[in-house]
Amino acid sequence: MNPTDMTATQLVEAYTTQELSPVEATTAVLDRIDEIDGSFGAYCYVDRNTALEQAKASESRWHADQPQGLLDGVPVSIKDIFLTAGWPTLRGSGAVDPDQPWTVDSPVAARLRSDGMVFVGKTTTPELAWKAVTDSPLSGITRNPIDPRLTAGGSSGGAAAAVAAGMGPCAVGTDGGGSIRIPAAFCGIVGFKPTHGRIPMFPASPFGPLAHAGPMTRTVEDAALLMDILSSPDYRDPTSQAPPQATYRSAVNREVTGIHVAYSPDLGFASVDPEVAQIVEAAIKRIDNAGLNVATEDPGFPDPLEAFDILWSSGAATLLEKMPGARDTVDPGLGRLWDQGKRHTAVEYLQARDVAAQVGIAMGAFHERHDILLTPTVGIPAFEAGHDVPPGSGMDHWPQWATLSYPFNLTQQPAISIPVGTTAAGLPVGLQIVGPRHADDLVLAVAHFVEQLLA
C-alpha cells in the first residue's frame, strides 16, 4: 500500500513489522505535497528538512524497539493557529510579523512533539480562523480535493484538504463554530470537536469559550489515538481538564447497541438540502436497524444565531484591536466583523453568554432522555471556492449556512463528523454525532460503530 493512502494506525503497524520506515512514509507524504498541493493550497508552510530529521530520529527509536509514543514517526500537520517552536505562526494574517522569535510550543504542538510524531508543516486557515471557508489575503484559496472548483470548508480547511488528499494521515485543527466538522464533512474525513477544555489551548483563543481544538483523520480510531496524545492538561489553559480516566483508543470499541439515540433532521430551524437530508436519513435507518434505538426528536431550543454572532464578533474585535496596522491588510469580511464587535456592549456580551447557558441547559435535559443526538453536519454540500456563502443564496455571513454546528460550540459539547455518503455529484455528506459534555468517549464509540456499519 502507498504510504500516502495509509492511516496513522496502519503506519504504526508497518513500523512495528519493519515493512515501512518513518523516513519512507515521511518522504512519500512530502513528495505528494510537492506534487499536488499547488492545486489545493492545503499547506502554508512545509519544512522538509525538519520533517526528515524527526523521521530519522523516530526510525532509530523503532530499530531499538523503543518508540517514544503512540504515533511515533507518523506524519502530522498543524493548523497555522497553534504556536509551534521553530516555525512562524502567522494565523493567515499579513498583520502578523513573521520576523520574530518563534520559541514557544502550544500545548498541541508540545504533545505531538513529545509523542514523537513527525511535523510536516502548517496548514492554511482563513485570517485568524474567522470563517467557515478557507481563504485569506496571505495564503489565497484552499480548494477541495474532491473537486478543486469547490471550497474545502473552514476554518480548518487546509487540514481537511491535506488529510483527504493523502498529504498526511492526520492533522489537528480548531473549531469555534464548526471549523473542524464543516471541512471534515465537505472533504469526506473524520473531524472531532471534543468537550471544551479537553484539549488545552495556549494562547487563549479570542473566541474564548467557543473555541476547541481537535483531531482530523481518516478514521475514528486514529482520532481516538490523537485524543490520547492531546488530552493532558496544561497549566497555561485554566479551563483544561484532568486526564481522562480511561484511554480513548479503548473506548472506541465499547458496546453501544441499545443506547437511546435521537435524530434531528434540522434542529427545528435549519435549512437542509433535500439530497443531503436523504443521504443522512438513509444512514439513520441503517443505524436504527443495527441496534441503536433511534427516535426522531428536536432538542427544543430556538436558533441561537444572534447570541453566537455577538460572541464571535466580540472575540474578533478583541484580538484585532491588539494588532497594529491590521486595518490596512485585514480580510474585508473580517474587517466588517471587527466593526460589528466593537459596537457590542459588555451587557450584550453577557446576555449572549446567558443564551449559550440556556441552550446548554436545554441540551443537558435532552440528554437525560437521549444518550446521543444525530444530525447532518452541514445542511449543504461544498460550494464554489472563493465565496464566504453559497453564491446566489442571499446569505450575508457564514453562520447562516453553518446552522447545525455552532450551537454545540455555545454548549461546549463533544461533536464529531463522519462521512456517510456522497451526492449524485460525488460530494461527501457528513453525519454529526453529539454527546453530553465530557462524554467524549461515548461520542467516539458511537462514531466508530457507525463508521464500521457503513463501511
Side-chain angles (χ1 to χ4, degrees):
M1 182 183 292
N2 189 321
T4 61
D5 297 328
M6 298 172 72
T7 67
T9 301
Q10 289 170 332
L11 287 174
V12 169
E13 291 172 353
Y15 298 162
T16 303
T17 59
Q18 298 188 4
E19 296 174 18
L20 185 71
S21 74
V23 171
E24 290 170 329
T26 301
T27 300
V29 168
L30 291 167
D31 289 348
R32 184 151 178 85
I33 295 169
D34 289 344
E35 178 187 354
I36 69 170
D37 196 38
S39 299
F40 302 118
Y43 283 89
C44 58
Y45 187 88
V46 177
D47 187 343
R48 177 178 281 266
N49 290 337
T50 294
L52 289 174
E53 287 175 6
Q54 292 177 343
K56 290 174 184 176
S58 172
E59 192 163 316
S60 296
R61 293 191 292 271
W62 278 104
H63 283 163
D65 198 24
Q66 294 180 335
Q68 187 167 307
L70 295 173
L71 296 178
D72 193 343
V74 173
V76 65
S77 64
I78 303 172
K79 185 177 179 179
D80 192 33
I81 290 294
F82 299 106
L83 290 176
T84 308
W87 290 353
T89 301
L90 304 184
R91 296 182 285 183
S93 179
V96 177
D97 181 9
D99 188 20
Q100 56 179 293
W102 299 101
T103 58
V104 176
D105 266 339
S106 61
V108 161
R111 301 294 182 269
L112 299 174
R113 198 185 300 276
S114 66
D115 195 74
M117 297 190 75
V118 173
F119 291 10
V120 173
K122 307 205 82 170
T123 53
T124 50
T125 175
E127 192 163 11
L128 309 182
W130 81 273
K131 59 183 177 179
V133 297
T134 301
D135 59 63
S136 74
L138 185 68
S139 303
I141 296 173
T142 298
R143 299 180 180 275
N144 195 316
I146 308 300
D147 183 342
R149 296 171 298 178
L150 307 180
T151 180
S155 64
S156 304
V163 173
M167 294 183 282
C170 52
V172 184
T174 62
D175 189 317
S179 290
I180 286 172
R181 292 159 289 155
I182 290 167
F186 279 0
C187 294
I189 67 165
V190 173
F192 183 41
K193 176 189 78 70
T195 302
H196 183 268
R198 180 69 278 164
I199 296 175
M201 298 179 71
F202 174 84
S205 168
F207 302 111
L210 300 174
H212 305 61
M216 304 180 73
T217 60
R218 295 179 192 147
T219 66
V220 176
E221 184 178 21
D222 279 2
L225 282 165
L226 275 174
M227 285 296 297
D228 281 336
I229 294 167
L230 296 169
S231 292
S232 300
D234 189 294
Y235 73 91
R236 294 172 294 177
D237 182 351
T239 71
S240 64
Q241 302 170 25
Q245 295 182 348
T247 65
Y248 292 111
R249 61 187 181 277
S250 62
V252 294
N253 293 309
R254 65 184 278 189
E255 181 62 51
V256 296
T257 54
I259 68 170
H260 292 277
V261 176
Y263 167 55
S264 175
D266 57 9
L267 294 182
F269 48 78
S271 296
V272 178
D273 176 85
E275 190 174 13
V276 170
Q278 183 179 22
I279 291 166
V280 172
E281 286 169 7
I284 296 298
K285 289 178 182 178
R286 293 185 63 183
I287 293 167
D288 184 48
N289 291 335
L292 271 65
N293 302 312
V294 182
T296 300
E297 184 179 339
D298 296 330
F301 58 82
D303 186 357
L305 176 59
E306 182 178 359
F308 178 81
D309 279 344
I310 290 171
L311 297 174
W312 195 250
S313 61
S314 298
T318 299
L319 178 59
L320 287 161
E321 289 291 312
K322 301 176 183 177
M323 298 175 65
R327 176 56 72 180
D328 298 330
T329 62
V330 74
D331 181 323
L334 180 55
R336 291 190 292 271
L337 191 71
W338 184 355
D339 293 336
Q340 175 187 340
K342 289 196 295 183
R343 293 193 294 268
H344 293 309
T345 66
V347 170
E348 289 172 327
Y349 182 87
L350 291 175
Q351 289 171 336
R353 290 290 302 128
D354 183 63
V355 170
Q358 294 307 313
V359 176
I361 291 168
M363 282 304 303
F366 184 80
H367 284 300
E368 290 292 303
R369 304 189 303 276
H370 304 289
D371 300 297
I372 288 289
L373 170 66
L374 306 177
T375 77
T377 304
V378 192
I380 54 174
F383 54 87
E384 184 180 348
H387 301 272
D388 292 355
V389 300
S393 66
M395 300 176 184
D396 58 22
H397 66 314
W398 66 265
Q400 291 172 309
W401 60 263
T403 322
L404 295 161
S405 57
Y406 62 73
F408 305 111
N409 293 84
L410 293 170
T411 64
Q412 304 183 346
Q413 294 174 247
I416 194 169
S417 178
I418 63 171
V420 292
T422 56
T423 66
L427 302 180
V429 172
L431 174 71
Q432 179 172 230
I433 302 169
V434 184
R437 279 169 51 89
H438 311 297
D440 305 81
D441 55 343
L442 177 61
V443 171
L444 287 166
V446 173
H448 186 253
F449 175 87
V450 176
E451 177 185 61
Q452 298 301 305
L453 173 67
L454 301 180

